[in-house]
Amino acid sequence: TMSLREHALSLFRGAVGTVRPAPMLKRALKLQGDGCPQLMVKGQAFPVKRDLYLVGFGKAVLGMAAAAEEILGDHLTRGIINVPLGIQESLQRAGMQEMLLKPHSKIQVIEGAKNNLPDAEALKGAAAIQELAEGLTADDLLLVLISGGGSALLPAPIPPILLEEKEKLTKLLASRGAAIQELNIVRKTLSVLKGGGLAQLAHPARVVSLILSDVIGDPLDIIASGPTAASSHSVQDCLQILTKYNLLHNLPKSVEMVLSSSPTKPTAPENYSHVSNIILGSNTLALEEAKRQAEGLGYAALVLSAAVHGEVGRVATLYCQLIQLLCLGFAGLGEGPLSDELRGNLLQLAAELQIPGLELDKFLQALRGLGPDRPVCVLAGGETTVQLQGSGKGGRNQELALRVGLGLHRAQATGASSPQGRCEILFFSGGTDGQDGPTEAAGAFCSPGLVAEALQEGLDVEAFLRNNDSYTFFSHFQGGHHLLVTGLTGTNVMDIQAVLIRAM
């Protein structure tokens, strides 16, 4: 029989495969008819009356553009995409030709945003995209490709604001503790293209946006700062944030000018009637595919949530308690004081983590119905956060896996859940972009057994965690067999986590 690790790997590959740019676009996008061709997107028809243009920005957009050009063929008039610095070379080196444009492509590629920060190259690309959008007519169709990382690749401060001034203000806000949502509101207010700006400039042309979401809950106005989505914020919101962090009275002159002359109300939603925003890929889609694969392998599979977020230690605790509860079920002890206590703890922790859309009551109810006759697979996705304290190597996925393994080992050692001994357990977490922190791993597989083995060898697991050095820990065993190494995937829908349990 296959090991749990082989099963987990196959689930992860299936999940990532379904949100890779080429298969994703080929499923969703078709061009039909010759006389007056129509662009079909997920069953919606958009007539191509005159010229068809393409623009795009984000980390996964190169592969999306290559697939789109193949589908559109000669109907594509011209395109411009802004992608991260060095991506063409990385994909070339990785042998991922299908993600690269053909030699005589009509799409111009601009690489910028070194280290995911807006720079002069990204600014140049944004200006070219702006110019293309402004020149469109009512008979033109603009296809917009958007993925995570698009925000840094589309900087276009409203003149006379300079990029450095906008960056300095953003950094100042961040240093005073502003949340990412607040930073985005300020950025959007000072930007020509973000917050629906691109869609407004392209008017009266038809705008169709195809979006690969890397944000929890897939909010259109947040992904890449929503260049084609109606912004739900106004200048008032921006002024409120600047006031809150005591920055209203030392703003650059240019920022003051723009804020005082900006319209006070956000553009009305009816002004977006020429725009269609379509989410092509998301963490939810990837999880659905992983669930299908798990069921194919004989598991009873349940999806916990596509929006797991929070500090990595607390998320690890949530998983540990969930796994202990599952093991009690396997041992036929699903009812009783211990399982009631675990359920109570889980409900409290889930409430504190505020995971959107997580109906834990219902989920726990579904778990109760699972017997020991079938192995169980619990799937989830999202993105955890790590407070860096040490100088080790690793990323949020490897650290989460190690913390879950350690938590389960502790629970077993204290005898808190003796039934764990009758279960074979594997937890894994991986980044769908193929990268987790500054290592070549995308994540890791961990079990309480691995932690027990480490402790027997005299390794101090807690010291590895204190030093944020999960990568070095996993590298100790079987030549890194417990690390998930996939190479660049060319896509990104955050992380995927799975718990696999079967009776021994």
Side-chain angles (χ1 to χ4, degrees):
T1 58
M2 281 167 78
S3 69
L4 292 184
R5 182 185 174 279
E6 287 168 316
H7 283 171
L9 191 56
S10 124
L11 300 184
F12 184 75
R13 292 216 163 111
V16 170
T18 202
V19 290
R20 279 197 173 205
M24 195 174 64
L25 267 132
K26 285 174 183 157
R27 278 197 312 270
L29 191 66
K30 309 233 178 327
L31 199 62
Q32 286 183 347
D34 290 324
C36 176
Q38 287 191 320
L39 191 64
M40 301 291 296
V41 187
K42 282 189 154 181
Q44 295 183 56
F46 303 97
V48 182
K49 296 178 196 155
R50 203 179 95 168
D51 291 337
L52 177 54
Y53 294 93
L54 180 151
V55 297
F57 28 89
K59 293 178 181 175
V61 157
L62 189 61
M64 289 168 80
E69 185 163 33
E70 209 172 294
I71 295 162
L72 303 173
D74 293 336
H75 288 288
L76 181 64
T77 308
R78 117 170 221 254
I80 303 170
I81 57 172
N82 256 13
V83 295
L85 190 68
I87 191 165
Q88 295 179 95
E89 196 192 333
S90 302
L91 291 170
Q92 192 94 46
R93 268 207 315 270
M96 294 168 75
Q97 299 305 331
E98 76 281 3
M99 298 268 185
L100 296 166
L101 294 168
K102 302 283 182 283
H104 302 292
S105 170
K106 290 179 185 167
I107 300 172
Q108 177 193 355
V109 180
I110 296 167
E111 291 193 359
K114 189 179 178 183
N115 302 328
N116 203 21
L117 295 167
D119 55 17
E121 285 308 302
L123 196 58
K124 200 174 84 180
I129 287 173
Q130 181 180 341
E131 194 183 343
L132 186 149
E134 286 172 336
L136 301 177
T137 72
D139 287 341
D140 291 323
L141 180 64
L142 179 65
L143 192 61
V144 185
L145 306 176
I146 301 177
S147 79
S151 199
L153 287 159
L154 202 67
I158 299 172
I161 302 175
L162 300 172
L163 185 61
E164 322 35 296
E165 292 176 319
K166 188 174 154 186
E167 281 312 284
K168 202 170 137 192
L169 181 59
T170 311
K171 282 201 182 107
L172 207 55
L173 274 165
S175 71
R176 295 190 179 190
I180 183 74
Q181 290 82 350
E182 295 177 312
L183 295 178
N184 282 340
I185 291 170
V186 173
R187 274 193 201 126
K188 285 199 292 196
T189 313
L190 304 178
S191 165
V192 178
L193 299 172
K194 297 183 167 101
L198 177 61
Q200 292 304 319
L201 290 176
H203 186 271
R206 190 84 182 106
V207 178
V208 180
S209 279
L210 307 182
I211 302 166
L212 180 63
S213 168
D214 70 333
V215 182
I216 281 179
D218 310 332
L220 292 172
D221 63 334
I222 304 285
I223 304 162
S225 298
T228 57
S231 174
S232 43
H233 306 288
S234 66
V235 171
Q236 294 319 113
D237 297 311
C238 177
L239 292 170
Q240 252 171 345
I241 292 163
L242 294 170
T243 308
K244 176 177 168 184
Y245 295 102
N246 218 355
L247 288 170
L248 204 51
H249 300 298
N250 40 10
L251 294 173
K253 282 278 168 284
S254 58
V255 174
E256 278 184 9
M257 268 177 67
V258 166
L259 288 174
S260 62
S261 62
S262 295
T264 49
K265 289 189 172 61
T267 312
E270 57 269 21
N271 293 7
Y272 288 86
S273 56
H274 63 299
V275 186
S276 299
N277 286 305
I278 298 162
I279 299 232
L280 281 199
S282 63
N283 191 277
T284 304
L285 273 165
L287 288 176
E288 280 167 13
E289 179 58 27
K291 179 174 190 274
R292 225 173 52 88
Q293 305 254 348
E295 287 167 348
L297 291 167
Y299 285 85
L302 294 166
V303 174
L304 178 68
S305 161
V308 172
H309 66 106
E311 198 276 313
V312 67
R314 305 182 51 124
V315 174
T317 306
L318 182 82
Y319 279 121
C320 286
Q321 295 183 338
L322 193 60
I323 291 165
Q324 289 171 48
L325 193 60
L326 277 163
C327 288
L328 285 173
F330 266 84
L333 302 168
E335 303 302 327
L338 187 55
S339 56
D340 289 345
E341 186 190 338
L342 281 169
R343 266 190 209 99
N345 290 347
L346 271 169
L347 289 166
Q348 192 184 337
L349 195 59
E352 286 168 21
L353 285 167
Q354 294 188 325
I355 294 168
L358 171 58
E359 298 182 350
L360 195 60
D361 284 340
K362 268 191 192 166
F363 184 82
L364 294 177
Q365 206 53 49
L367 281 189
R368 278 183 158 148
L370 302 177
D373 41 345
R374 274 175 80 192
V376 173
C377 171
V378 174
L379 294 154
E383 212 161 73
T384 55
T385 44
V386 174
Q387 298 289 323
L388 284 178
Q389 284 156 335
S391 54
K393 279 175 82 174
R396 58 180 184 257
N397 289 290
Q398 295 163 68
E399 181 154 329
L400 178 60
L402 184 50
R403 283 181 182 277
V404 171
L406 179 62
L408 290 172
H409 176 266
R410 276 197 191 133
Q412 214 163 344
T414 56
S417 63
S418 48
Q420 223 177 270
R422 305 182 203 176
C423 292
E424 188 187 354
I425 304 166
L426 182 75
F427 176 85
F428 99 92
S429 187
T432 54
D433 58 357
Q435 289 173 309
D436 184 37
T439 69
E440 85 278 10
F445 307 91
C446 197
S447 63
L450 182 68
V451 172
E453 190 185 323
L455 295 169
Q456 270 165 349
E457 284 184 30
L459 291 176
D460 183 346
V461 181
E462 285 181 50
F464 282 102
L465 284 169
R466 274 198 302 276
N467 194 28
N468 300 114
D469 204 13
S470 48
Y471 175 81
T472 309
F473 173 87
F474 286 116
S475 304
H476 268 292
F477 302 92
Q478 298 163 297
H481 178 73
H482 298 276
L483 288 166
L484 171 67
V485 181
T486 60
L488 275 182
T489 62
T491 188
N492 179 20
V493 294
M494 302 183 290
D495 304 334
I496 286 180
Q497 288 130 23
V499 174
L500 281 70
I501 298 186
R502 61 183 176 196
M504 298 269 252

